[in-house]
Amino acid sequence: MAIEPYDQRDGFIWFNGALLPWRDAKLHVLSHGLHYGSGVFEGQRAYDGEIFKLTEHSQRLVNSGKILGFDIPYSAEEISQACRDALKANNLADAYVRPIAWRGSEQMGVAAQLTKVNLAVAVWFWGAYFDPEQRLKGIRLTMAEYRRPDPRTAPCKSKATGLYMICTIEKHRAEGMGYADALMLDWRGQIAEATGANIFFVRGDEIHTPTPDCFLDGITRRTVIGLAKERGWNVIERAIMPEEMANFEQCFLTGSAAEVTPVSEIGDYRFKVGDITKTLMDAYSAYVRPVKEHQPLAAAV
Ligand code: PMP
């Protein structure tokens, strides 16, 4: 699959306060973030020129940095403005927005007290995260071998670059076997999430999803829970064991990139793309747009 290399594109990248020509947004090879994983990032989508849940994403970025022990030298509001500026500079309305903060090259070694924290925001067009045709039929997942770590083992509430090491390994393993993604269990053997998205199951008119106590409580996850509750569906957050998948009829993933993506298969378990999944998929697509077609207009006064 030919992809235009990400360092060889036209456009602008917001880099420590300035909009740089895309190809000039470089960092030094001796960056702490590269060697020791001291980086945190976000991923959000713009729809019709507006970035969905921008404040929540900017705040999570600031908080992710704090969990790793550093302060990003920009407030959440300034980060949000940088995202809007980057979107505008690239003249995009529907796009993926990627802010990233990392420790620089002022000090090498595990200690990083002297490093400065950098911030960049890139924006590009990114269509469906999963193959659009497969997505409507439900994507196929395999079971991952690695597990989401115990909160005592890793800073699991930070969207930290280093935590994606096991995700990339598992995503590659899954793709190598013809699957779209992998389902990761957690350190206790409970269902956790996919490599870049949260997971939900449906039984009757009940929606079950794992309690996010050792993985990201996704912003999309929380949005979809809200949309489901608005429709009167019971959403149950609890520990879910893998054997329980035999009792669920539907399954879907949620994430800023993945949006709401139906799942048809996980290992030996099969799911159908049922009404609740389809309704939430459509409800989410409508809700993310600045003009919210599904909401009744406020009565004129
Ligand atoms: N888990 C992981 C590992 C992710 O990378 C993401 C995507 N950021 C999510 C869950 C979903 O989070 P969100 O809905 O906030 O994008």
Side-chain angles (χ1 to χ4, degrees):
M1 188 180 27
I3 296 181
E4 195 185 3
Y6 276 82
D7 56 351
Q8 297 299 323
R9 297 184 173 202
D10 296 324
F12 297 91
I13 290 180
W14 191 101
F15 197 107
N16 287 337
L19 282 159
L20 299 187
W22 191 283
R23 292 171 174 79
D24 298 345
K26 294 180 178 167
L27 56 142
H28 198 269
V29 71
L30 293 178
S31 292
H32 198 275
L34 176 65
H35 292 245
Y36 300 99
S38 52
V40 294
F41 68 105
E42 272 304 316
Q44 54 240 22
R45 280 186 188 267
Y47 299 92
D48 298 334
E50 268 189 44
I51 303 169
F52 184 63
K53 301 276 183 194
L54 177 56
T55 304
E56 285 88 335
H57 282 283
S58 300
Q59 284 168 347
R60 187 168 72 184
L61 186 72
V62 169
N63 194 44
S64 289
K66 284 197 193 307
I67 294 171
L68 295 202
F70 62 75
D71 286 322
I72 298 173
Y74 298 94
S75 65
E77 184 38 51
E78 288 167 331
I79 295 169
S80 293
Q81 193 53 47
C83 293
R84 287 188 213 104
D85 291 349
L87 185 67
K88 199 162 163 222
N90 290 286
N91 208 12
L92 286 167
D94 284 270
Y96 182 79
V97 182
R98 165 57 57 85
I100 180 158
W102 69 97
R103 289 193 193 268
S105 45
E106 294 78 11
Q107 188 178 5
M108 260 293 135
V110 173
Q113 314 277 7
L114 301 177
T115 55
K116 285 201 294 200
V117 176
N118 300 273
L119 176 69
V121 183
V123 174
W124 63 89
F125 177 76
W126 200 359
Y129 184 68
F130 293 104
D131 174 54
E133 230 173 84
Q134 195 58 46
R135 187 166 176 251
L136 295 176
K137 287 190 257 169
I139 58 165
R140 298 170 58 242
L141 268 52
T142 185
M143 295 300 295
E145 289 176 353
Y146 277 104
R147 292 183 171 201
R148 302 304 312 173
D150 181 332
R152 292 168 297 187
T153 307
C156 58
K157 291 289 165 190
S158 174
K159 193 166 163 62
T161 57
L163 293 177
Y164 283 83
M165 183 174 62
I166 54 175
C167 300
T168 300
I169 293 172
E170 292 297 350
K171 181 90 176 176
H172 285 187
R173 209 174 66 86
E175 287 182 344
M177 296 190 300
Y179 291 94
D181 205 350
L183 173 63
M184 303 182 86
L185 303 181
D186 72 11
W187 54 288
R188 296 161 295 203
Q190 300 169 7
I191 290 177
E193 57 172 356
T195 63
N198 292 118
I199 193 159
F200 287 78
F201 297 97
V202 179
R203 185 172 58 208
D205 58 1
E206 271 178 12
I207 302 174
H208 297 242
T209 190
T211 309
D213 59 5
C214 62
F215 55 88
L216 222 53
D217 178 7
I219 292 168
T220 319
R221 177 186 182 278
R222 292 203 296 268
T223 303
V224 168
I225 289 176
L227 293 172
K229 287 186 173 166
E230 254 176 44
R231 282 159 182 76
W233 292 319
N234 193 10
V235 182
I236 302 155
E237 297 182 62
R238 62 176 180 89
I240 303 175
M241 298 309 289
E243 313 77 69
E244 293 186 57
M245 286 196 281
N247 305 321
F248 293 124
E249 295 133 20
Q250 302 173 43
C251 174
F252 58 90
L253 303 182
T254 64
S256 300
E259 301 172 301
V260 176
T261 297
V263 175
S264 60
E265 179 179 333
I266 304 179
D268 295 335
Y269 303 103
R270 299 290 177 272
F271 307 96
K272 60 180 196 310
V273 184
D275 286 344
I276 289 187
T277 303
K278 283 192 226 159
T279 303
L280 288 173
M281 226 174 135
D282 292 346
Y284 184 77
S285 299
Y287 189 69
V288 294
R289 301 271 159 198
V291 178
K292 303 207 187 320
E293 289 147 24
H294 78 301
Q295 287 180 353
L297 292 173
V301 280

